[in-house]
Amino acid sequence: MTEKLSQPHTEREYIPGLGKHFLTPLYDVAHRVFGLHSVHQEMIRLAALRDGHRVLDVGCGTGNLLRATGQRHRNVDLVGLDPDPKALAQAGRKARRARLTVRLDRGFAQELPYDDASFDRVFSSLMLHHLDSTSKDALLAEVRRVLRPDGLLVLADAVLDEHGHVHAHGRGPEKVGMRGRMREQLRENVGDAVSQKIAAAGFTMESTRTTALRIGGSIRIEVACPNVRDA
């Protein structure tokens, strides 16, 4: 197991996985209860990974998607980025237990600390609504920058209907601990708004599909590739 944990030189405010820092230890409980494992498995399938691919998980949190990816594809290069040191510590422990080689960096999605065209796949799982509209645009621009021309973005986030309501019969995992800004930012995920934002950032949409959680709501998974003509 080789693990590198990088630290940025500057601090800024961020919203943790469940909306409150004290809830971070409960994130994996929510992950299991609401059935997010199946969402991650579908994201991995859609990514069409091959041996030697370099994979970045932006907003990797406690490392569930990284671990699932590494267990399914042992010969890919895994990198996770998150601003939350406690979540990264959990991710590191999981990687060690799974005997996976993972690089974990502390940083922010709006300023990815990686070279241009240095990743084959970029994942983003249930973190887009943690960002305001300007930061969402910055994230997508950065993802496009670090993706190779034949790379893919696989992004999953909550689905809202035209009235701004989560498609749910109850409280989804991302509603737990939500306060203020995150709730407002989630309301931007209405209809095809996320797909439109991704396309506006210079991507070609490959597919969009919605998958239901075990309880609590639905998640939309977007797959897109960089629009090489705009490069």
Side-chain angles (χ1 to χ4, degrees):
M1 165 70 194
T2 301
E3 177 187 333
K4 178 178 179 180
L5 181 60
S6 300
Q7 299 286 339
H9 297 294
T10 59
E11 290 292 335
R12 68 174 71 174
E13 185 183 14
Y14 63 89
I15 301 173
L18 290 178
K20 293 289 186 179
H21 289 282
F22 72 86
L23 292 173
T24 297
L26 300 177
Y27 188 86
D28 287 347
V29 176
H31 182 274
R32 291 190 296 271
V33 169
F34 292 96
L36 290 172
H37 176 75
S38 63
V39 175
H40 286 172
Q41 291 298 320
E42 180 67 1
M43 292 177 71
I44 295 166
R45 187 187 71 79
L46 292 169
L49 292 167
R50 299 192 301 271
D51 288 356
H53 271 172
R54 191 168 189 232
V55 181
L56 171 64
D57 184 7
V58 180
C60 67
T62 63
N64 291 312
L65 180 52
L66 285 170
R67 180 177 59 180
T69 302
Q71 289 173 332
R72 192 162 165 176
H73 296 277
R74 287 281 174 175
N75 297 315
V76 298
D77 184 7
L78 297 172
V79 180
L81 179 94
D82 201 275
D84 189 338
K86 292 182 179 179
L88 288 172
Q90 288 182 245
R93 290 192 291 270
K94 289 177 185 176
R96 288 190 290 274
R97 288 196 296 267
R99 299 180 182 274
L100 294 174
T101 298
V102 179
R103 169 176 170 165
L104 296 172
D105 295 327
R106 188 177 179 215
F108 296 87
Q110 304 94 311
E111 298 173 3
L112 298 179
Y114 309 111
D115 294 337
D116 294 358
S118 56
F119 289 95
D120 299 284
R121 301 290 187 266
V122 174
F123 287 130
S124 171
S125 175
L126 295 173
M127 63 81 63
L128 190 69
H129 64 272
H130 288 228
L131 306 176
D132 60 31
S133 184
T134 300
S135 296
K136 289 183 176 77
D137 291 337
L139 159 65
L140 292 170
E142 281 289 88
V143 169
R144 188 171 179 277
R145 179 183 66 79
V146 303
L147 267 175
R148 292 174 178 139
D150 60 348
L152 286 178
L153 165 65
V154 183
L155 183 150
D157 213 355
V159 179
L160 280 73
D161 63 23
E162 65 273 15
H163 303 294
H165 300 142
V166 177
H167 288 301
H169 299 290
R171 293 168 60 88
E174 293 298 304
K175 294 290 284 184
V176 178
M178 277 187 181
R179 295 295 184 271
R181 285 190 297 121
M182 191 160 75
R183 183 177 290 118
E184 290 300 317
Q185 289 155 194
L186 180 60
R187 289 175 183 162
E188 296 180 1
N189 289 20
V190 175
D192 294 329
V194 173
S195 297
Q196 293 173 11
K197 186 173 280 289
I198 293 171
F203 289 87
T204 298
M205 300 304 300
E206 295 286 318
S207 68
T208 298
R209 63 189 63 202
T210 300
T211 182
L213 296 175
R214 182 182 300 148
I215 58 173
S218 298
I219 301 298
R220 179 169 290 167
I221 303 175
E222 319 270 2
V223 181
C225 63
N227 190 336
V228 179
R229 290 175 299 177
D230 293 340

